[in-house]
Amino acid sequence: MSVSPPSGMPPEGPEEAHPGRTDYAGAVYGSLLAASVVATAGAVGDFPRVQLIVLLLVTGVVFWVAHVYAHIAGERIVGRPIDRREWRRVARHEWSIVEAAVLPAVAVAVSPLLTLGLPGTVWLALGVAIAQQVTWATLGAIRAGASRRLAVGEGVANLLLGLIIVAAKAALGH
């Protein structure tokens, strides 16, 4: 089975630097980030759905920029300036962090069509974020050639991370 990485993965990215490796880290991380944003966002303001969509997308972009900068700064070669090509390569590589915010934002946007109130909207978006996190982690393991048991284990580990966010949300009464 051939599984493509998130579209943010450049052809000259980590797979070429490390033949045989997969990199779904940005998609998994971005999904966990989106779940955290949804879980902690309160129903405040006049347009809570619009504000949640904006918050999801802006947070994804801000963390994407932070990851690009951290990667560039962290792997800087002494005495050598960083060229635009390297910035573009890293930006494409980390783009899946932003992509991971899109499906939860879409869930929020379509929630009125499903006749969901704001609490139902938040739970739907949270469920979507966790489901994609588990999916990306599992697909990454499968693409890396992991055994079925290990792929399931990665999915379960990511489900547990998501459930910790759910438990925190429930405990805080949001």
Side-chain angles (χ1 to χ4, degrees):
M1 176 166 125
S2 176
V3 178
S4 297
S7 65
M9 284 300 304
E12 73 277 4
E15 289 180 333
E16 286 213 6
H18 307 284
R21 286 191 180 180
T22 61
D23 189 352
Y24 288 76
V28 171
Y29 177 81
S31 298
L32 187 60
L33 175 64
S36 299
V37 167
V38 170
T40 58
V44 297
D46 297 329
F47 305 101
R49 282 186 177 88
V50 172
Q51 290 168 338
L52 182 54
I53 290 168
V54 170
L55 185 59
L56 278 162
L57 298 176
V58 168
T59 301
V61 169
V62 167
F63 274 74
W64 168 67
V65 169
H67 274 253
V68 171
Y69 173 75
H71 182 85
I72 292 291
E75 294 189 7
R76 184 174 299 155
I77 297 174
V78 175
R80 186 176 134 222
I82 301 165
D83 63 11
R84 286 188 191 126
R85 191 175 66 173
E86 179 66 3
W87 277 102
R88 283 191 303 268
R89 185 192 71 75
V90 173
R92 280 192 313 267
H93 176 259
E94 298 293 339
W95 185 247
S96 58
I97 293 171
V98 177
E99 291 176 322
V102 172
L103 279 180
V106 168
V108 173
V110 302
S111 67
L113 301 174
L114 302 171
T115 65
L116 294 175
L118 196 54
T121 296
V122 169
W123 284 109
L124 173 65
L126 184 57
V128 167
I130 292 169
Q132 74 179 7
Q133 174 189 340
V134 170
T135 300
W136 281 123
T138 305
L139 290 177
I142 291 168
R143 186 160 188 262
S147 68
R148 185 175 298 196
R149 182 178 178 181
L150 183 56
V152 168
E154 292 213 17
V156 169
N158 276 274
L159 178 60
L160 291 174
L161 289 172
L163 291 176
I164 290 169
I165 292 171
V166 168
K169 177 186 177 347
L172 295 172
H174 283 120

